[in-house]
Amino acid sequence: MGWEKSLLGLKWRQLMRPGLCLLVLLCCLTLGPRPVQGDKVLVMPVDGSHWLSMKLLVKELAARGHEMVVMVPETSVLIQSSDFYRTENFKVPYTTSQLEASINQLQSGVFLEPPRITDLFVKVQHLLNFTNLQVKGCEGLLYDKLLMQRLKAERFQLMLTDPFLPCGSIVAESFNIPAVYFLRGIPCGLDDMATQCPTPPSYVPRLFSGNTDHMDFLGRVKNMIMYIVESYLCKIMFVKFDELTSRYLEQDMSYKELLGHGAVWLLRYDYTFEYPKPRMPNMVYIGGINCGKRGPLPADLQEFVDESGEDGFVVFTLGSVVSQMPEDRGKLFFDAFSRIPQRVVWRYTGVVPDNAPANIRVMKWIPQNELLGHPKVKVFITHGGTHGIYEGICNAVPMVMLPLFGDQEDNVLRMSVRGVGEVLRVFDITSDKLVETLNKVIHNSSYKEKMLKLSAVHKDRPIEPLDLAVFWTEFVMRHGGAEHLRTAAHDLNWVQYHCLDVILLLITIVITVVMGTIKGCKVCFRKCCRVKMTMKKKSE
Amino acid sequence: MGWEKSLLGLKWRQLMRPGLCLLVLLCCLTLGPRPVQGDKVLVMPVDGSHWLSMKLLVKELAARGHEMVVMVPETSVLIQSSDFYRTENFKVPYTTSQLEASINQLQSGVFLEPPRITDLFVKVQHLLNFTNLQVKGCEGLLYDKLLMQRLKAERFQLMLTDPFLPCGSIVAESFNIPAVYFLRGIPCGLDDMATQCPTPPSYVPRLFSGNTDHMDFLGRVKNMIMYIVESYLCKIMFVKFDELTSRYLEQDMSYKELLGHGAVWLLRYDYTFEYPKPRMPNMVYIGGINCGKRGPLPADLQEFVDESGEDGFVVFTLGSVVSQMPEDRGKLFFDAFSRIPQRVVWRYTGVVPDNAPANIRVMKWIPQNELLGHPKVKVFITHGGTHGIYEGICNAVPMVMLPLFGDQEDNVLRMSVRGVGEVLRVFDITSDKLVETLNKVIHNSSYKEKMLKLSAVHKDRPIEPLDLAVFWTEFVMRHGGAEHLRTAAHDLNWVQYHCLDVILLLITIVITVVMGTIKGCKVCFRKCCRVKMTMKKKSE
């Protein structure tokens, strides 16, 4: 009976939906999470692509009435002033050209030769040179006493920072304000270590291991070796960070320990990109935060892609850092593109040959997300940075991936195992290979179908990543931290965490009991034997 | 400059807020997560308090247009028919009085004597008797071929079940439909094991250990011992579940393995109640789902509490299962309540003395959440079930807690370490102790202050628990599961998960290399010595 009533009741319940939404609106206006207007937030970003997504959160927080102050090193490339936030410049003890040289070193040789196993150490050395330079930049800020005093006097409620570099968290600790971290990750898995997040090496692949989350025995051996090597490399990698932390804060504290004080970690990934693995209570996943909003395309570009016909067009970019390549590599791409019917929009500042085909539009900077959102886009050629990958997923565009350095090799592997793209190596690419792969990804419908499914899962979420990031940032301001999310594991050392002391005690007890029992049995046995022998002798 | 503009810009940005909300409304009407109307959901609940919160989700899903079919054993106590859902009854091979006897066994002796260490085994035996009876009930359903065929023919899209009992997950597997679990937890931490969630014994306290998340060395020893004991008890505990799973599904599968197939786990706790610990991607926290909505109080009760004056009133209940107590214990409470100025609303079906004080209102069933939401409530006397605890937190009412059995001892410990209540033992309570504790909790403002803070944190969330539960249930229906949240750890055995095979190989290699090097050195050393000796002899 109730069942029929329930069926009949469907209609008015459907009508309830707009009613419910009206209720949401009313709650939003009266009860809903209130913005903490007037709070002051100090922002310590990392330059380059790292800043591009953090800027979205900074702007949104400013729009919600928070006073945002962004710290900008004088050599900044992408961090610029804005109507939304105030900027504070600080001096750094290196020049722009020194910084550029250090960045160029990170990508040296990627177009020319395949990576070797020993390259790991060279890569780490290059990354070390780069981060050490940045640490010097931090010192430029921290030891500028006048600036630091002025900032401290402003009584900020929060530090929003990217812990890829240590300045932000050191300032937060020094000013005694809570910190919210905004990042993709920190080399060596320092983020997992600092949050006390378990990452079992049996199914959580290490960076550069070439493993997915499904490993056979050899894969697990490789992963474990990478785990051990990483532990060693990390010690070298963060030695300057540790030293600066201890020196500036005048206490014996490693950078990892300092990071453990972070209130909330806003991590730019989700489970359509990352493999399913444990996470800690203060880790918030905001993957895809960068492709929430799309602006209009410039008129001429709009026309160029609108008129790409049935064949559509290809978007090609190697990220915010790499806009050039050796001339012979460049020619190879021009050659390949001349052999496909698609139009190509390419972010490229290198040499353009005189006979460049007409289907290519070369640009210094492209509106990537806007292009990927166009209905005629067929494929996205990308280096595999997380921003690009998420814009690809969000707009459901299959990919041809050319990883260059850093986490890119790892990122593209995640996409290729999901069947939404193909990987090519930029050092041994040929125009034939490129044409063949482009045609494969464009014409084999499985790439698009899988990407559509992945995109649907990615976008089907209870709350948008930007709103989630805003919520947790404001939460930390409202409550002066997020102490209820801080795990007790932070108060344990390595031996205690793994209960090695307890295991040792229990093993000792077990051994003592077993040995005692055996000895007792032996004594009893001997006594019995003696009694028997005596009785035997007596009876004899 | 940008800074001043930003300040000036505040006003129009504040105006944006209603605008944003309007946008939310529009999105809700057009784009927002669409309900999967017309989908059929099979619901296999667990009777008693477990059902009370699951019912909220079932009703909400029905209101959103889903066809809900709830399976009800013929001995059901609290699962009743409703306009919102259809019910399907099934026969069970035991009587209501047998079930009641089994439930009474669970609480036997709690009012009379303090628990002893050996009680753990007795408790487990009682729980075993109870669950074994329920397993028989499952069999009543599973082996009712006609009913099962009819259900299968209905082609449900989803199974919503409480995995405290195995019927739901076995039916889901048998019908090949995804399962969403709705629960507080499963004894022995089987939920953590089934989700592959790490629970390091160094800071994740085991049930009945009496530990919090901060343990000293002895606490960790105790925790580790409980961990080992639990592993043993679990084997006994779930032997019938395992047997039924394998027998019915006709494959060698443990109940834990079967549970691992669950798409999403809706867990009735959050970090204001639970200690911060790792969680897996398909674990969704919906603590506080039961105190979202409050209805009006009955007129006479409203009058009784409204007129409680400055002193306010006390709410007293020992949960849905325990409504009586031995007469002498009852008298003790009547005596204590006669000595406090507060009025008392008490859920009690036991003997009421003739001279019962006028400030007590004894009732067979009380609208607990509604009473706790009244502004004049001063303290909540509770047995420490999670429903009551969350209603206490949600309404910010300090507690006096009298744990009886099951997880209650553990629950109240979580609240007392947060300083929001006091714990008394029901077996050695006196009216003096009770009066003293009530006065302490009412007049020492720290309990209320801490509870207000805890409540504020609990209610400050990006999305309401019921909406979150609805979202993830519908997500599983939209995508036919939640495969992207399933960790690869499910495909590993115990040795592989802990990489013991890899560690063994690496240790063997290290030992071989070290031994080889030592042997090599020895050979070299001997050769050197021989050469020296020969040269010495020659020179002699």
Side-chain angles (χ1 to χ4, degrees), chain B residues 239-256:
Chain B
V239 75
K240 292 267 181 193
F241 288 48
D242 294 341
E243 191 272 328
L244 179 62
T245 305
S246 293
R247 173 158 47 95
Y248 191 79
L249 298 174
E250 291 175 353
Q251 53 182 308
D252 185 22
M253 186 189 276
S254 70
Y255 184 52
K256 191 188 91 179

Side-chain angles (χ1 to χ4, degrees), chain A residues 483-495:
Chain A
E483 203 51 36
H484 73 302
L485 302 180
R486 185 179 166 80
T487 166
H490 285 292
D491 304 324
L492 302 171
N493 62 35
W494 192 80
V495 170

Side-chain angles (χ1 to χ4, degrees), chain A residues 36-37 49-50 76 105-106 116 124 132 165 169 197 204 217 235 258 272 328 362 364 388 406 458 493 496 517 531 534:
Chain A
V36 197
Q37 279 176 1
S49 63
H50 287 233
S76 165
Q105 209 182 32
L106 289 176
R116 290 167 305 235
V124 169
N132 286 353
L165 294 176
S169 26
C197 185
V204 180
F217 179 69
K235 285 216 173 103
L258 174 64
T272 55
D328 61 323
V362 168
K364 280 187 183 165
H458 169 68
N493 62 35
Q496 291 167 331
T517 313
V531 172
T534 325

Side-chain angles (χ1 to χ4, degrees), chain A residues 2-3 5-6 10 13-14 17-18 21-22 24-25 28-29 33 35 37 62-63 65 67 82-84 86 198 200 202-203 213-214 217 220-221 224 271 276-281 457 460-463 471 475 478-479 484-489 491-492 496-497 499 501-503 505-506, chain B residues 2-3 5-6 10 13-14 17-18 21-22 24-25 28-29 33 35 37 62-63 65 67 82-84 86 198 200 202-203 213-214 217 220-221 224 271 276-281 457 460-463 471 475 478-479 484-489 491-492 496-497 499 501-503 505-506:
Chain A
W3 160 236
K5 276 187 202 165
S6 162
L10 263 183
R13 269 172 215 139
Q14 281 164 358
R17 212 170 155 233
C21 290
L22 200 63
V24 167
L25 172 70
C28 208
L29 288 168
Q37 279 176 1
E67 197 180 319
S82 158
D83 286 352
F84 279 87
R86 172 162 60 115
S202 50
Y203 70 96
D213 58 343
H214 287 89
F217 179 69
R220 283 187 296 115
V221 170
M224 185 62 98
Y271 298 113
K277 60 176 192 176
R279 70 160 131 173
M280 297 307 283
V457 167
D460 195 358
R461 48 202 170 197
I463 181 166
F471 173 83
F475 181 98
R478 276 193 290 272
H479 302 277
H484 73 302
L485 302 180
R486 185 179 166 80
T487 166
D491 304 324
L492 302 171
Q496 291 167 331
Y497 180 92
C499 278
D501 47 356
V502 174
I503 292 169
L505 175 78
L506 295 182
Chain B
W3 160 235
K5 276 186 201 165
S6 162
L10 265 183
R13 271 171 214 141
Q14 282 163 356
R17 210 167 157 235
C21 291
L22 200 63
V24 168
L25 173 69
C28 208
L29 288 168
Q37 280 176 359
E67 196 180 320
S82 157
D83 286 352
F84 280 86
R86 170 162 62 116
S202 51
Y203 70 96
D213 58 343
H214 287 89
F217 178 69
R220 283 188 295 116
V221 170
M224 185 63 97
Y271 298 114
K277 60 177 191 175
R279 71 161 130 173
M280 296 307 282
V457 167
D460 197 357
R461 48 203 171 197
I463 181 165
F471 172 83
F475 181 98
R478 276 193 289 272
H479 302 277
H484 72 302
L485 302 180
R486 185 180 166 80
T487 166
D491 305 324
L492 302 172
Q496 290 168 331
Y497 180 92
C499 277
D501 47 356
V502 174
I503 292 169
L505 175 78
L506 295 182

Side-chain angles (χ1 to χ4, degrees), chain A residues 104-146:
Chain A
N104 287 336
Q105 209 182 32
L106 289 176
Q107 43 177 304
S108 65
V110 290
F111 287 100
L112 305 173
E113 51 203 22
R116 290 167 305 235
I117 185 77
T118 49
D119 282 3
L120 179 61
F121 297 91
V122 179
K123 277 179 191 170
V124 169
Q125 187 55 50
H126 289 165
L127 192 57
L128 216 57
N129 295 344
F130 174 71
T131 51
N132 286 353
L133 205 66
Q134 300 278 334
V135 169
K136 278 186 191 163
C138 279
E139 291 186 39
L141 167 67
L142 295 172
Y143 290 99
D144 184 339
K145 280 192 179 170
L146 275 178

Side-chain angles (χ1 to χ4, degrees), chain A residues 35-151:
Chain A
V36 197
Q37 279 176 1
D39 275 346
K40 289 173 91 170
V41 181
L42 187 57
V43 184
M44 188 73 231
V46 166
D47 204 3
S49 63
H50 287 233
W51 166 244
L52 295 180
S53 46
M54 187 193 255
K55 190 167 68 175
L56 299 169
L57 176 58
V58 172
K59 278 190 169 182
E60 187 64 26
L61 288 168
R64 287 173 65 85
H66 303 291
E67 197 180 319
M68 310 298 291
V69 180
V70 179
M71 301 305 299
V72 189
E74 58 183 356
T75 52
S76 165
V77 183
L78 291 181
I79 312 172
Q80 284 153 353
S81 62
S82 158
D83 286 352
F84 279 87
Y85 49 81
R86 172 162 60 115
T87 51
E88 281 279 356
N89 295 308
F90 62 93
K91 289 187 178 168
V92 291
Y94 51 82
T95 63
T96 306
S97 57
Q98 278 175 313
L99 179 66
E100 277 170 4
S102 176
I103 294 172
N104 287 336
Q105 209 182 32
L106 289 176
Q107 43 177 304
S108 65
V110 290
F111 287 100
L112 305 173
E113 51 203 22
R116 290 167 305 235
I117 185 77
T118 49
D119 282 3
L120 179 61
F121 297 91
V122 179
K123 277 179 191 170
V124 169
Q125 187 55 50
H126 289 165
L127 192 57
L128 216 57
N129 295 344
F130 174 71
T131 51
N132 286 353
L133 205 66
Q134 300 278 334
V135 169
K136 278 186 191 163
C138 279
E139 291 186 39
L141 167 67
L142 295 172
Y143 290 99
D144 184 339
K145 280 192 179 170
L146 275 178
L147 177 58
M148 285 293 281
Q149 274 170 6
R150 189 154 56 76
L151 288 174

Side-chain angles (χ1 to χ4, degrees), chain B residues 88-121:
Chain B
E88 281 279 356
N89 295 307
F90 63 93
K91 288 187 178 167
V92 291
Y94 50 82
T95 62
T96 306
S97 57
Q98 278 175 313
L99 179 67
E100 276 171 5
S102 177
I103 294 172
N104 287 336
Q105 209 182 35
L106 288 177
Q107 42 177 305
S108 65
V110 289
F111 287 100
L112 304 174
E113 52 203 23
R116 291 167 303 236
I117 185 77
T118 49
D119 282 3
L120 181 61
F121 296 92

